[in-house]
Amino acid sequence: MSEQIKKIDPESSEFQEELKKTIEFTDKVIKQFGWEYNPDPEINKSIQFGLTRNKLIYGKRYCPCFFVTGNKKEDRICPCKPAIEKEIPQEGLCHCGIFCTPEYAQKQKKEKILEEVVHTHSRGLTKEECELLLSKDQLDGDELEALIEARELGMIDFNLVDVREWMEYRAARIKGTDYLVPTTTFYKALEQLQDQKDKPIILYCHVGSRSAYCQRVLKDLGFKQVGNLTYGIVSYPGEIERG
């Protein structure tokens, strides 16, 4: 089953004809299971190319994200059993990324629109968009700035927590920071938030490493929603306070 047995030219009429059949096949799978395509057309195109390639080489549409070993128990033929029974029902998306639930597709479409709005500042956010943004585990500077503005307008509420040290906090902090919970005295300083586990929290540090660690700790401690400013205060474009 060596791939060198047959070289595949994606521009050939043979490949293009088989690609049409693959697209018909994935359309049929979508209809059969009530799924949707990934909102990202590039992902779908890539997987359809991979399925076509495997069909021409091996005679079957093996999932292109996995090695074809010749072991029937290991090799995944699309749509594969793990995707049907576990990945899509539990995660909303198959491993290859081409098939997803309607709910997942809708959420991804909303997130794409939200990302464009946040980074182009084309308009203000809706309450639903604010809540969607606040639910993210990782935030960039523009997204945090948008959330702080939304909080000032009373659209959402959350705690903004600095996990750096006192001297760093005094030197520069994001305007709107609610608490300082230094990593060196983390558990002691965290006592001030013990009665607010159900309130969303966004953490930040200098470049995002300490806050990412604290994020994992807080989740383990039962805090409901904990976001992290991925690249820290150095990536934040909004207003900074000192002193």
Side-chain angles (χ1 to χ4, degrees), residues 175-224:
K175 184 177 181 181
T177 299
D178 300 295
Y179 297 95
L180 172 65
V181 182
T183 51
T184 54
T185 57
F186 187 76
Y187 290 99
K188 179 64 175 176
L190 190 60
E191 291 178 359
Q192 58 192 319
L193 288 167
Q194 284 300 328
D195 62 344
Q196 301 187 59
K197 287 187 175 181
D198 290 336
K199 188 174 181 178
I201 294 176
I202 298 176
L203 307 175
Y204 74 89
C205 63
H206 187 62
V207 294
S209 56
R210 282 174 286 177
S211 54
Y213 173 76
C214 293
Q215 180 185 37
R216 293 192 293 271
V217 172
L218 288 181
K219 287 183 176 181
D220 289 341
L221 291 174
F223 283 81
K224 186 175 180 180

Side-chain angles (χ1 to χ4, degrees), residues 10-161:
E11 300 300 323
S12 67
S13 58
E14 179 189 28
F15 185 91
Q16 292 299 318
E17 186 62 32
E18 190 60 47
L19 177 60
K20 291 180 182 178
K21 295 179 182 178
T22 295
I23 294 173
E24 291 174 357
F25 165 77
T26 55
D27 285 347
K28 183 178 178 180
V29 170
I30 290 285
K31 184 176 181 180
Q32 178 182 351
F33 290 95
W35 296 337
E36 289 193 18
Y37 280 116
N38 193 310
D40 187 339
E42 290 302 315
I43 291 177
N44 302 327
K45 180 179 179 181
S46 174
I47 299 304
Q48 287 169 336
F49 265 57
L51 290 170
T52 300
R53 178 171 167 273
N54 284 344
K55 176 66 173 178
L56 290 174
I57 294 173
Y58 304 114
K60 294 182 179 179
R61 293 188 179 90
Y62 290 107
C63 295
C65 298
F66 297 87
F67 290 113
V68 179
T69 66
N71 187 327
K72 292 183 179 180
K73 292 184 179 180
E74 293 181 1
D75 292 336
R76 292 191 176 195
I77 297 176
C78 183
C80 64
K81 187 175 180 180
I84 296 171
E85 296 183 352
K86 182 179 179 181
E87 294 169 357
I88 295 179
Q90 294 182 10
E91 302 169 18
L93 183 73
C94 70
H95 184 92
C96 293
I98 185 172
F99 302 129
C100 63
T101 63
E103 294 78 14
Y104 181 93
Q106 186 63 26
K107 183 179 179 183
Q108 290 299 108
K109 290 173 184 176
K110 289 180 179 179
E111 287 183 352
K112 187 174 182 180
I113 294 172
L114 176 58
E115 181 179 356
E116 181 179 348
V117 171
V118 168
H119 293 94
T120 61
H121 305 284
S122 57
R123 62 169 173 79
L125 301 180
T126 66
K127 183 176 177 60
E128 181 185 8
E129 288 171 337
C130 290
E131 292 172 347
L132 179 60
L133 189 57
L134 186 58
S135 70
K136 293 182 63 175
D137 279 349
Q138 301 298 322
L139 299 157
D140 64 27
D142 285 336
E143 290 170 335
L144 177 56
E145 184 179 23
L147 285 174
I148 291 175
E149 291 175 356
R151 185 175 67 170
E152 291 173 350
L153 293 172
M155 299 176 70
I156 49 169
D157 195 17
F158 61 91
N159 284 323
L160 180 60
V161 178

